[in-house]
Structures are given as C-alpha cells and as structure tokens.
C-alpha cells in the first residue's frame, strides 16, 4: 500500500475519492495490531484494486493530520467517498468482515458507471460506453442492466455474436427481445425478391417461398408487406412448420414496438385469421 503524507492527502485522498472510494489505513510502526492487520489490507488491495484506492498514513509522521481526522487509536480505517468520510472503524478486523464493509460501496460505484455510460451513449461515444460498462460488469457481473446495455452497444458496433451473448441473458427486457428479433432477420441469407415472386406466381401455394419473401421484406424494412405475406401463409395453413408464420409475425411486432399503429393493425388481423 502506498504511503500518503499530510501534504499529499487532499490530492491523493480527497480528490481521488470523487472518482472511486479511497480506503486509508492510519498506522504506526510501533503498533503491533497494525502490523498484524497490514497483510490483510495488502491482500484486499489486490482483490479490490478496480473498486478502491488504498493508502496508508503513518500517524507518527503526520500527527497534525491524525489530529484533524480525530484518530485516537490505531489501527483506524477510514473510507472516503466524494470527498467525505463514509465509514470508519478502529481495531483489527477479519478479512471477511472487512470485505463485507467494502462490498457495500461497490454497487454504488457500478451504478455511477452505468449512469456515465448512459450519458456517453446519447452522445454516440460507443468506445467510451463499452469501457464504462465493462468496468461496471467487473464490479457487478450479474447486473441485468449492464448486460442489456452491453448487448445494445455491441449491436450498434455490429459485433453481433457479442450482442447476442449478452441479450440472451436478459430476455425479461423488451429491448433485448426487440434487438434479438431484428438480429434473427439480419442473419437470414439475402435473396432476390423479384426472383422469389416469379416462383410464387407459378405456384401461389408455395408457402416456403412466401415465408422467404416476407423475411426479405423485413430485412428491407418493408414491414407491412412482410406482415401481409406472413398473414397469407397463416390463412392458407395455420399449422405450417409449427406455426412459423405466426411466430415470425410476433418477432416483427417486437421490432415495431407494442405502441406502433402497424402492430395494432396486424394484431387485430392476426386474431381474426386465427379465431
């Protein structure tokens, strides 16, 4: 752990605590409990180096600072955040007990990173967004909001496999399902619609060709035309390929959004055909 003096304290502790929490160990070389506690703190510094900054203050060499901060016994640990003391305790604690104290501050740090990422995302600064979110993920790997936003940013960066891996874990969110639905169509092979239409003219009952035409319309953003073709497949055979046309219509509804007028229109038409 790095030693910090009274002269450096404002810059290294107070100011840096506005970026991430700072743990300060107030100690002295004549203090036996301090020497016992020191290896525990050094282990935690390695484990929490991304979440916290760790410093030591020798009270014998910085008596005025110790007096200002009300240090009456050692070892004393103080945690600074946003320029203020947010936790303080005296005496030797077990590693597990100290970890439980430090962990209380990690969600707050992760939340701050998420908010910063949201601001950067609005500005289109995708590389910086990814960096912030990956840092938040290292703090809270199971946070669904982090996974959702990482999926979104990878989708915007056209890193489709990474996007899918994150979004598939958070399908409780409508945005995740919307993007996954879009990716489904994005990954289907490109085909010539005019050629497919000529095939269909010769055999209007070729439902597979109708599905392929509809999917190409989705890829081109022609959602009404796509929904018409899917609906026609359902009219001709509701159970075709395990109701694939109905399922693909639902994916289109997700892409359009529940509030879209086109979604409402074709939801009504779908109900009429099915029932």
């Amino acid at each position: 752990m790095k030693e910090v003096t009274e002269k450096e304290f404002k810059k290294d502790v107070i100011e840096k605590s506005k970026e991430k929490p700072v743990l300060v160990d107030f100690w002295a070389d004549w203090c036996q409990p301090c020497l016992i506690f020191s290896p525990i703190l050094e282990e935690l510094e390695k484990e929490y180096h991304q979440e916290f900054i760790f410093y030591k203050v020798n009270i014998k060499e910085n008596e005025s600072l110790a007096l200002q901060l009300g240090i009456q016994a050692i070892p004393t640990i103080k945690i600074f955040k946003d320029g203020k003391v947010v936790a303080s305790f005296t005496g030797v604690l077990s590693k597990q007990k100290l970890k439980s104290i430090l962990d209380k501050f990690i969600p707050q740090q992760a939340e701050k990173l998420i908010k910063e990422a949201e601001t950067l995302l609005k500005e289109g600064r995708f590389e910086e967004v990814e960096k912030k979110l990956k840092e938040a993920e290292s703090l809270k790997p199971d946070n669904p909001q982090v996974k959702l936003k990482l999926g979104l940013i990878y989708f915007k960066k056209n890193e489709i496999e990474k996007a899918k891996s994150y979004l598939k874990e958070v399908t409780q969110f409508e945005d995740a399902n919307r993007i996954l639905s879009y990716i489904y169509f994005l990954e289907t092979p490109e085909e010539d619609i005019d050629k497919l239409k000529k095939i269909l003219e010769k055999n209007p009952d070729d439902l597979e060709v109708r599905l392929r035409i509809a999917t190409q319309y989705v890829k081109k953003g022609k959602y009404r035309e796509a929904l018409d073709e899917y609906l026609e497949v359902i009219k001709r055979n509701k159970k075709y390929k395990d109701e694939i046309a109905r399922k693909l219509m639902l994916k289109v509804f997700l892409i359009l959004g529940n509030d879209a007028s086109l979604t409402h229109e074709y939801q009504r038409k779908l109900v009429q055909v099915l029932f």
Side-chain angles (χ1 to χ4, degrees), residues 53-106:
I53 300 171
F54 287 72
Y55 286 123
K56 299 179 73 169
V57 171
N58 189 319
I59 65 164
K60 184 178 179 180
E61 298 172 0
N62 299 276
E63 292 180 359
S64 178
L65 177 61
L67 187 63
Q68 290 175 38
L69 294 171
I71 307 299
Q72 297 179 344
I74 53 174
T76 287
I77 297 293
K78 289 186 181 291
I79 297 174
F80 293 79
K81 188 174 184 297
D82 295 325
K84 299 176 182 178
V85 176
V86 292
S88 179
F89 57 88
T90 300
V92 177
L93 297 183
S94 68
K95 181 179 178 180
Q96 198 57 42
K97 177 64 176 176
L98 187 49
K99 280 171 68 77
S100 69
I101 293 172
L102 298 184
D103 286 343
K104 292 177 183 178
F105 297 95
I106 293 176

Side-chain angles (χ1 to χ4, degrees), residues 92-130:
V92 177
L93 297 183
S94 68
K95 181 179 178 180
Q96 198 57 42
K97 177 64 176 176
L98 187 49
K99 280 171 68 77
S100 69
I101 293 172
L102 298 184
D103 286 343
K104 292 177 183 178
F105 297 95
I106 293 176
Q108 297 175 15
Q109 181 67 10
E111 188 64 32
K112 179 182 177 183
L113 289 165
I114 293 169
K115 288 180 179 178
E116 290 174 354
E118 288 172 348
T119 300
L120 292 168
L121 184 60
K122 292 175 183 176
E123 298 171 2
R125 295 156 66 180
F126 299 145
E127 295 298 330
E128 293 173 72
V129 172
E130 181 186 357

Side-chain angles (χ1 to χ4, degrees), residues 231-247:
L231 206 58
E232 186 61 31
V233 171
I234 296 170
K235 288 177 181 177
R236 290 171 183 264
N237 186 344
K238 294 177 184 178
K239 301 295 183 181
Y240 181 68
K241 294 184 74 172
D242 194 26
E243 300 184 78
I244 184 65
R246 180 185 64 81
K247 293 174 182 177

Side-chain angles (χ1 to χ4, degrees), residues 13-22 81-83 112:
V13 176
I14 303 301
E15 293 304 320
K16 286 186 179 179
S17 75
K18 296 174 183 178
E19 300 172 12
K20 65 169 66 175
V22 178
K81 188 174 184 297
D82 295 325
K112 179 182 177 183

Side-chain angles (χ1 to χ4, degrees), residues 104-271:
K104 292 177 183 178
F105 297 95
I106 293 176
Q108 297 175 15
Q109 181 67 10
E111 188 64 32
K112 179 182 177 183
L113 289 165
I114 293 169
K115 288 180 179 178
E116 290 174 354
E118 288 172 348
T119 300
L120 292 168
L121 184 60
K122 292 175 183 176
E123 298 171 2
R125 295 156 66 180
F126 299 145
E127 295 298 330
E128 293 173 72
V129 172
E130 181 186 357
K131 184 178 178 181
K132 292 285 185 184
L133 290 174
K134 291 299 289 183
E135 190 176 348
E137 184 185 30
S138 72
L139 301 177
K140 299 293 287 182
D142 295 323
N143 187 304
Q145 285 291 339
V146 173
K147 292 180 185 294
L148 176 63
K149 288 176 171 58
L150 277 168
L152 175 61
I153 202 67
Y154 284 129
F155 176 70
K156 288 182 178 293
K157 291 176 66 178
N158 203 32
E159 296 182 37
I160 302 302
E161 290 305 316
K162 284 185 179 180
K164 286 196 296 185
S165 69
Y166 279 103
L167 295 172
K168 285 179 179 178
E169 293 188 50
V170 288
T171 52
Q172 68 268 37
F173 295 110
E174 185 178 330
D175 281 348
N177 287 311
R178 177 176 56 80
I179 296 170
L180 285 169
S181 295
Y182 189 84
I183 289 172
Y184 170 86
F185 292 107
L186 192 68
E187 292 184 324
T188 57
E190 292 282 350
E191 294 190 83
D192 189 317
I193 291 181
D194 291 333
K195 288 182 179 179
L196 291 173
K197 284 182 176 179
K198 288 179 181 178
I199 297 172
L200 192 63
E201 285 174 6
K202 295 178 182 179
N203 183 9
D205 289 325
D206 191 332
L207 302 186
E208 182 60 32
V209 171
R210 282 193 185 277
L211 288 173
R212 287 159 62 188
I213 290 172
T215 296
Q216 293 305 309
Y217 277 137
V218 175
K219 288 171 71 71
K220 294 179 181 297
K222 295 183 176 181
Y223 299 115
R224 181 179 292 278
E225 291 88 339
L227 290 168
D228 281 334
E229 291 296 345
Y230 288 135
L231 206 58
E232 186 61 31
V233 171
I234 296 170
K235 288 177 181 177
R236 290 171 183 264
N237 186 344
K238 294 177 184 178
K239 301 295 183 181
Y240 181 68
K241 294 184 74 172
D242 194 26
E243 300 184 78
I244 184 65
R246 180 185 64 81
K247 293 174 182 177
L248 292 175
M249 284 187 78
L250 296 180
K251 286 184 181 294
V252 175
F253 294 158
L254 280 169
I255 293 171
L256 292 170
N258 289 329
D259 296 330
S261 58
L262 199 60
T263 298
H264 293 162
E265 178 184 343
Y266 278 84
Q267 282 175 336
R268 289 192 296 271
K269 290 182 178 181
L270 179 59
V271 169

Side-chain angles (χ1 to χ4, degrees), residues 23-36:
L23 180 149
V24 183
D25 171 29
F26 294 88
W27 76 295
D29 53 11
W30 49 261
C31 168
Q32 191 62 32
C34 297
L35 301 178
I36 294 171

